[in-house]
Amino acid sequence: MKTYQKLPFLALSAAVISMSSCSSEDPVPENDGEVITDVTLVFTELDESGATVGSPFSFSASDSEGIEVGTSPEVDDVTLEAGKTYQMEIEVGNSIAGEDITEEILEESDEHQFFFLGSAFVGTTAPLSYSYDDEGGINLGVKGIVVVEASPALNTGNLRIVLRHDLNKDFEGADNPSFENFVNAGGETDLDITFPLILN
Amino acid sequence: MAQNCNLSIRGKVIHLENNESIPGAYIWIEEIKNGAVTDLDGNFQVKNLCPGTYTIRIQYLGHEDINDTINIQNNSFNKTYRMKEGSLDLSGVEVHGHKDAVQTTTAITALYGEDLLEARGESLGESLKRVAGVTTFSTGNSIAKPVIHGMHSNRIMILNNGVRLEGQQWGAEHAPEIDPFLADEITVIKGAETVRFGPEAMGGVILVNPGALPTKKESTTDLYLVGATNGRMGNISVKHQGGSGKIQGLGYRIQGSAKRAGNIQSPEYYQRNTGLSELNFSGTLGYTGKNLGTELYYSYFNTELGILSDAHTGNLTDLEAIIANGRPFVEGDFTYDIINPKQKVSHQLLKFKSHYHINSNWKANLQYGFQSNHRQEFDKRRGDLNEQASLDLELFTNTLDLFVDHTHENNFSGTWGVNLIQQANSNVPGTGVTPLIPNYDMLNAGIYGMEKLSKGPLEVEAGARFDYRTVSTARYIGNDLQQSDLTYKNFTAFLGAYYQISNSFTISSNLGSAWRPPNVNELFSQGLHHGAAAVEIGDENLLSEKSLKWVNSLEFSDQKASFELTGYLNRIQNYIYLNPTGDTYVSLRGTFNVYEYLQANAFFYGVDFSGSYEFNKKFSGYLKGSIIRARNTEDDTYFPFIPSDRMDWGLAYKVGEDGKSHKFTLSNMLVAKQTRVPDFDLAPAPPAYALFNFSYLKAMPVGENKLNLGLQVQNLLNTNYKEYMNRFRYFTDDIGRNITIKINYQF
């Protein structure tokens, strides 16, 4: 009986000891690995045979803060010439964690797909048309062909690029790079950028 | 003057040590050689007495007799008798296990017996919907947080076997980390109970209580098997308890449960990634002696649950597209597999409790609890990051309670004590995401006292408490270390009364103040909330919420009918809420709504009602419902996620005697559209709905053992509906028809 009666006091001492020994860890800075801070469109002119002409030129959108509340992204104007055909490659990166996200997108090409929308690609007056030209003939959009009308109805427009993740790529209509109802194929948006388009 | 021999006396018999009522105590009046036996609530009545002096003797097995001499001249006699447990030294006397009852004058409702049996297999939140005035704030079908009188999360408190549950309760998608199979009884206190239980118990308290441990040689086992068609859910629970034959007063209990469910089905489609798996365990070892009682308790809760794939949206355009569609774009199919987004949560609780009877009136108590909560949330990410949690929090909590109870045969009983809560929260590094909330250390010290005066049919209770809290936080935003030290202090008090108007009528009233310091997420949130496509911003300068709640309750019960009406007013200063700023934030990912935490004065009021009536031996009916009104009194607007008016009623048909019966119940749940909504919501409140449910319960003896069989059909007509209080109403219809089979064997 006597030992039982000591128990509360033992427990109390144990409690006091454990209470004083339990405190939070020191915080550690995290590199935001998921964030996309830079998207670059690299254009190279193609001739009629499909061979590259001249040197590549690029336009980019960047948001150094990533997703946190802060400044809005800086987006370049995309300037292209009427009547020309370009190869367009998209480079996606995370400058915070120093990661090449294009590589990850290529690795998970079955889960990702770019769509090309806005007045630049959609509608009867659209001056641009896009076709996928990725390695292995898949519909991904890391690499593709952009054709500019010879006499476009519009010489400015919105070039909207959407990257979908975890979509059903076999969904009816999803093979169209300018599929407006891309949400119906499921998944979520990883990127949604609108570049101003200027045609010379 | 002719002698009036139609007088009667009334009274109540309760345990001296915990104020729990004693049913079946024997009342004997020597002079008339007649007596009475107390009912389930410990009440008794002796009729046909003439004025005069009488000798009353009260007897109950294992307790010391009470002898009282009374003089009656009219019908006003009503007295509470407290019985003391008999001493161990007397041979043949039983020692009773401890199951501390809550002493409160506030409205209180308990879920036990048949009602709890019907709720088996459901989460804690879902189970509690059976109590009038309790609804859920849910995120899909697997995450349900109880809402009492419009309050949830950190505004209510859940006690796991007497220890305040300390998990990451701040999040809307953080369900309480507790296995309802632990409980023999789940009690809801609907009043402000900060004085008794500490800060945050503003809206109410939920007590998840196991039964008393056996104190003599006996052993019982309870087995539950539950299967449900929707989600193809399987659930098993075993509880075994026994007492030692060698050491009288020594008892143990072990209990475990496992649950597995796959994608649940709305009437027209499967909801993708809505499965869950749960594994829980608890064990108790206790000793109850003449003067000393000790208990060691451990519980482990572990769950992994999928979050509806379609609820994880990339940006505002995505969110708006699915809201406009009203249901997922993708037709799901059935699977038990759980993929990202998902949650993995484990919670461990260790409790040591001891009480010592200093003398027959005073009892000293010590309770120490240690809790460890580990929450991991996985998002849909790219590559290897999928294996890494994007939210990974470890929370340790120590709670220490030291208090004395006293009960006196004359009129007073009370509790005085101190309470310490110490908490440490750490983000586990390596998530690749700036933490939503910082690491923090919190210390809360409280001192309190409360006294109750019982005078026959009247009980008056008052108490006060003072709390002091410090919080220190630290987090890196990028490479910038941000630290804060905050202190909060507050005084709270309550006054309550309970009056037994007649044998069948009681009335109670309780006015209590309560407080809640702002939570760390409200102070420091900064980041993207995927499900809501929102950036949420905390405010370090938020003040404590302070509330004053007045709860009144009227209860009636006789052999045929029972009725309970609870009305309340709750005025809250500095009510914290998440407000859309109207701004959007643009990133490469797209556009997001920006929300900020604001404070305003609020006024909540409402009524809950429940009643039942037995038309005859076979037919009975019940009705229950609740109405809540909540306003932002500063801006004259409404708050989001306040439950709409609702009512549940049903008819039951029962044949057979107790212990061998069939019971059929057909019920109908009516839920109104919430018309009192804030100016901004992502989608309008869904329309009103009606659901039909069916239940069949069969109780039968198997030798000396007991077998209960149950069949329930929820959403009998497979109705398409959306519940305003479900955050996933933006993305999907609610759950379709669900047929559940339950087997409970007690041996």
Side-chain angles (χ1 to χ4, degrees):
Chain A
M1 208 54 198
K2 284 273 179 266
T3 48
Y4 284 125
Q5 290 180 12
K6 281 182 190 159
L7 267 176
F9 305 101
L10 289 174
L12 178 61
S13 351
V16 170
I17 292 163
S18 63
M19 278 186 134
S20 52
S21 66
C22 185
S23 64
S24 68
E25 306 287 328
D26 290 333
V28 175
E30 289 284 350
N31 285 326
D32 283 299
E34 186 70 357
V35 167
I36 295 172
T37 58
D38 298 276
V39 175
T40 308
L41 309 181
V42 183
F43 288 89
T44 317
E45 199 187 327
L46 297 178
D47 64 16
E48 279 171 22
S49 66
T52 55
V53 180
S55 53
F57 54 100
S58 64
F59 307 98
S60 64
S62 62
D63 186 4
S64 56
E65 297 266 327
I67 210 80
E68 292 301 324
V69 176
T71 50
S72 288
E74 290 169 22
V75 183
D76 291 346
D77 293 345
V78 173
T79 310
L80 300 173
E81 279 181 51
K84 290 197 170 166
T85 298
Y86 300 95
Q87 170 185 289
M88 182 174 81
E89 284 175 293
I90 303 179
E91 288 171 5
V92 184
N94 173 355
S95 64
I96 298 172
E99 275 177 69
D100 178 4
I101 295 174
T102 318
E103 215 170 279
E104 294 176 3
I105 294 170
L106 286 168
E107 275 169 26
E108 292 180 357
S109 58
D110 55 334
E111 290 178 16
H112 286 90
Q113 191 168 337
F114 281 98
F115 291 99
F116 303 87
L117 306 156
S119 58
F121 292 106
V122 179
T124 49
T125 54
L128 307 188
S129 61
Y130 184 95
S131 51
Y132 293 116
D133 189 28
D134 293 285
E135 309 294 330
I138 51 168
N139 298 336
L140 179 59
V142 167
K143 194 171 162 190
I145 311 282
V146 174
V147 179
V148 188
E149 297 264 324
S151 47
L154 303 169
N155 48 19
T156 57
N158 290 322
L159 192 158
R160 180 179 172 213
I161 295 182
V162 174
L163 173 62
R164 295 290 283 181
H165 184 187
D166 209 30
L167 73 167
N168 173 13
K169 296 185 78 156
D170 297 327
F171 188 83
E172 200 186 326
D175 55 349
N176 172 9
S178 301
F179 182 45
E180 283 181 282
N181 298 324
F182 59 84
V183 289
N184 291 346
E188 62 178 281
T189 297
D190 277 356
L191 276 179
D192 189 341
I193 315 167
T194 301
F195 292 84
L197 173 70
I198 297 164
L199 294 176
N200 292 328
Chain B
M1 214 166 94
Q3 185 130 328
N4 174 7
C5 286
N6 287 324
L7 300 182
S8 64
I9 60 166
R10 295 202 310 254
K12 185 167 186 157
V13 183
I14 61 179
H15 286 287
L16 172 63
E17 59 178 13
N18 61 9
N19 281 4
E20 203 174 304
S21 54
I22 301 181
Y26 195 56
I27 320 296
W28 182 255
I29 299 183
E30 195 56 42
E31 286 77 7
I32 58 165
K33 304 283 177 212
N34 201 351
V37 175
T38 55
D39 67 12
L40 279 175
D41 298 317
N43 293 312
F44 68 85
Q45 184 173 27
V46 183
K47 290 181 184 168
N48 302 326
L49 296 169
C50 311
T53 303
Y54 296 94
T55 312
I56 295 183
R57 187 162 76 241
I58 302 172
Q59 292 175 306
Y60 184 63
L61 188 64
H63 288 70
E64 291 175 9
D65 290 1
I66 293 176
N67 291 297
D68 194 18
T69 307
I70 61 165
N71 186 287
I72 57 166
Q73 297 302 330
N74 53 41
N75 268 327
S76 68
F77 184 87
N78 194 329
K79 189 166 174 181
T80 303
Y81 291 97
R82 292 189 159 84
M83 297 193 84
K84 192 189 170 199
E85 270 184 24
S87 122
L88 254 185
D89 305 336
L90 301 168
S91 56
V93 167
E94 284 182 76
V95 178
H96 289 268
H98 274 263
K99 181 168 161 263
D100 293 336
V102 197
Q103 315 171 30
T104 179
T105 51
T106 312
I108 189 167
T109 310
L111 203 60
Y112 58 93
E114 209 172 78
D115 288 335
L116 194 55
L117 192 65
E118 286 205 351
R120 291 301 188 192
E122 297 172 2
S123 68
L124 180 70
E126 284 298 317
S127 307
L128 285 170
K129 277 178 158 177
R130 285 152 214 277
V131 175
V134 182
T135 46
T136 56
F137 179 40
S138 53
T139 299
N141 286 92
S142 46
I143 300 171
K145 295 163 81 83
V147 181
I148 305 172
H149 290 170
M151 308 261 155
H152 57 79
S153 302
N154 285 85
R155 290 190 185 96
I156 63 166
M157 190 183 291
I158 298 170
L159 297 176
N160 176 349
N161 194 6
V163 181
R164 52 184 281 157
L165 186 70
E166 288 288 343
Q168 307 282 359
Q169 276 307 303
W170 47 272
E173 67 279 40
H174 302 172
E177 299 91 348
I178 195 161
D179 174 19
F181 275 110
L182 285 175
D184 247 23
E185 187 172 304
I186 305 175
T187 307
V188 179
I189 307 176
K190 294 173 181 171
E193 288 281 349
T194 317
V195 171
R196 208 179 306 265
F197 298 109
E200 298 176 347
M202 291 174 82
V205 180
I206 294 162
L207 299 125
V208 180
N209 279 338
L213 280 179
T215 53
K216 56 179 193 208
K217 192 171 165 55
E218 61 179 354
S219 87
T220 53
T221 305
D222 237 313
L223 173 73
Y224 290 94
L225 288 172
V226 183
T229 54
N230 204 322
R232 300 182 203 168
M233 188 271 281
N235 196 181
I236 179 171
S237 168
V238 185
K239 182 175 79 182
H240 177 73
Q241 57 185 30
S244 163
K246 286 187 186 135
I247 305 171
Q248 196 180 10
L250 190 68
Y252 69 93
R253 171 169 44 235
I254 48 171
Q255 175 268 339
S257 77
K259 189 175 188 174
R260 191 88 168 90
N263 286 353
I264 61 150
Q265 210 175 356
S266 291
E268 289 160 13
Y269 50 90
Y270 282 99
Q271 298 179 16
R272 290 190 305 153
N273 198 34
T274 50
L276 73 92
S277 97
E278 230 178 73
L279 193 64
N280 310 309
F281 169 82
S282 75
T284 320
L285 187 66
Y287 170 77
T288 311
K290 183 187 169 193
N291 291 320
L292 180 81
T294 44
E295 186 187 294
L296 189 66
Y297 169 77
Y298 171 79
S299 82
Y300 173 72
F301 173 87
N302 183 6
T303 188
E304 177 172 353
L305 53 92
I307 305 291
L308 178 72
S309 300
D310 310 86
H312 199 266
T313 54
N315 61 20
L316 192 59
T317 322
D318 258 20
L319 181 72
E320 282 167 351
I322 189 164
I323 289 173
N325 199 44
R327 52 159 285 182
F329 288 110
V330 181
E331 203 76 34
D333 43 29
F334 183 80
T335 172
Y336 281 109
D337 295 341
I338 298 167
I339 54 168
N340 293 1
K342 68 178 177 188
Q343 300 181 355
K344 276 187 186 177
V345 183
S346 69
H347 192 98
Q348 297 183 76
L349 185 149
L350 182 71
K351 167 184 131 175
F352 174 80
K353 189 184 170 191
S354 186
H355 68 258
Y356 181 75
H357 291 274
I358 301 164
N359 56 39
S360 63
N361 302 117
W362 288 85
K363 186 170 80 167
N365 300 270
L366 173 146
Q367 179 174 294
Y368 167 72
F370 171 77
Q371 290 173 78
S372 147
N373 182 288
H374 188 199
R375 161 170 290 270
Q376 289 182 302
E377 295 183 6
F378 296 82
D379 272 339
K380 237 188 284 179
R381 302 167 92 177
R382 271 183 306 275
D384 297 339
L385 282 175
N386 272 312
E387 307 301 314
Q388 257 173 33
S390 41
L391 180 81
D392 198 339
L393 290 169
E394 263 181 341
L395 178 70
F396 295 101
T397 310
N398 287 291
T399 46
L400 181 67
D401 285 281
L402 287 168
F403 59 101
V404 287
D405 287 328
H406 73 88
T407 47
H408 285 82
E409 286 89 341
N410 61 15
N411 303 315
F412 278 98
S413 62
T415 306
W416 298 80
V418 291
N419 162 247
L420 286 175
I421 307 166
Q422 187 266 339
Q423 201 163 65
N425 184 65
S426 306
N427 284 284
V428 179
T431 56
V433 177
T434 300
L436 191 65
I437 62 167
N439 292 3
Y440 68 86
D441 289 291
M442 186 270 279
L443 186 69
N444 192 104
I447 178 162
Y448 62 95
M450 54 194 151
E451 284 290 324
K452 180 151 94 177
L453 172 70
S454 306
K455 198 111 185 129
L458 179 70
E459 290 179 8
V460 181
E461 191 186 22
R465 177 179 177 119
F466 180 78
D467 280 285
Y468 179 80
R469 174 177 292 207
T470 65
V471 182
S472 57
T473 70
R475 167 174 60 176
Y476 276 97
I477 300 276
N479 285 313
D480 178 22
L481 179 63
Q482 300 185 347
Q483 285 175 294
S484 291
D485 289 300
L486 303 162
T487 57
Y488 303 92
K489 44 183 179 269
N490 206 70
F491 176 80
T492 48
F494 76 92
L495 178 66
Y498 171 91
Y499 186 75
Q500 182 135 21
I501 303 167
S502 73
N503 248 8
S504 43
F505 254 115
T506 59
I507 183 166
S508 72
S509 181
N510 184 296
L511 179 68
S513 67
W515 77 296
R516 180 181 79 91
N519 209 287
V520 169
N521 71 309
E522 294 159 339
L523 296 165
F524 298 107
S525 265
Q526 198 183 81
L528 179 66
H529 188 183
H530 270 292
V535 174
E536 295 174 357
I537 302 170
D539 178 0
E540 197 182 321
N541 299 314
L542 292 175
L543 304 170
S544 295
E545 287 185 350
K546 289 177 187 178
S547 81
L548 189 63
K549 188 171 182 181
W550 188 26
V551 191
N552 297 288
S553 165
L554 181 72
E555 266 184 68
F556 171 85
S557 74
D558 67 8
Q559 277 159 341
K560 286 202 141 189
S562 72
F563 186 74
E564 195 184 316
L565 181 70
T566 303
Y568 57 93
L569 304 171
N570 194 358
R571 199 190 62 117
I572 306 170
Q573 252 180 300
N574 306 326
Y575 182 84
I576 301 170
Y577 63 104
L578 196 58
N579 184 61
T581 57
D583 290 340
T584 51
Y585 171 67
V586 186
S587 77
L588 295 183
R589 193 173 192 138
T591 306
F592 300 92
N593 282 320
V594 179
Y595 289 74
E596 62 188 343
Y597 283 99
L598 291 184
Q599 294 194 296
N601 291 337
F603 186 57
F604 283 61
Y605 63 96
V607 290
D608 311 330
F609 53 91
S610 70
S612 65
Y613 187 75
E614 271 181 31
F615 301 104
N616 58 40
K617 273 202 153 152
K618 287 178 175 166
F619 273 107
S620 63
Y622 76 89
L623 172 82
K624 58 189 170 196
S626 64
I627 293 168
I628 302 173
R629 298 287 176 268
R631 277 191 90 74
N632 177 338
T633 51
E634 267 172 53
D635 301 345
D636 204 28
T637 51
Y638 297 105
F639 293 112
F641 291 107
I642 300 297
S644 59
D645 301 344
R646 61 198 59 216
M647 187 179 106
D648 179 17
W649 65 283
L651 291 171
Y653 176 76
K654 187 172 183 173
V655 283
E657 318 94 60
D658 279 348
K660 195 178 178 183
S661 60
H662 303 267
K663 187 182 174 187
F664 303 85
T665 312
L666 187 64
S667 62
N668 174 219
M669 172 97 184
L670 297 166
V671 178
K673 178 179 173 169
Q674 182 55 284
T675 52
R676 295 164 187 84
V677 292
D679 298 334
F680 178 87
D681 195 350
L682 296 168
Y689 64 87
L691 297 181
F692 288 88
N693 300 312
F694 169 79
S695 139
Y696 166 69
L697 269 182
K698 178 181 180 170
M700 56 192 283
V702 179
E704 291 191 343
N705 305 324
K706 218 169 126 185
L707 180 68
N708 295 302
L709 296 174
L711 173 80
Q712 280 163 261
V713 188
Q714 278 151 326
N715 194 358
L716 199 62
L717 304 178
N718 211 15
T719 307
N720 253 320
Y721 73 101
K722 288 182 175 183
E723 164 58 48
Y724 177 71
M725 294 295 287
N726 186 344
R727 292 172 61 242
F728 280 2
R729 68 180 156 91
Y730 299 128
F731 313 115
T732 178
D733 292 297
D734 225 301
I735 186 169
R737 184 187 296 124
N738 188 15
I739 304 169
T740 316
I741 291 173
K742 293 173 192 184
I743 302 169
N744 167 226
Y745 189 50
Q746 297 166 358
F747 57 101

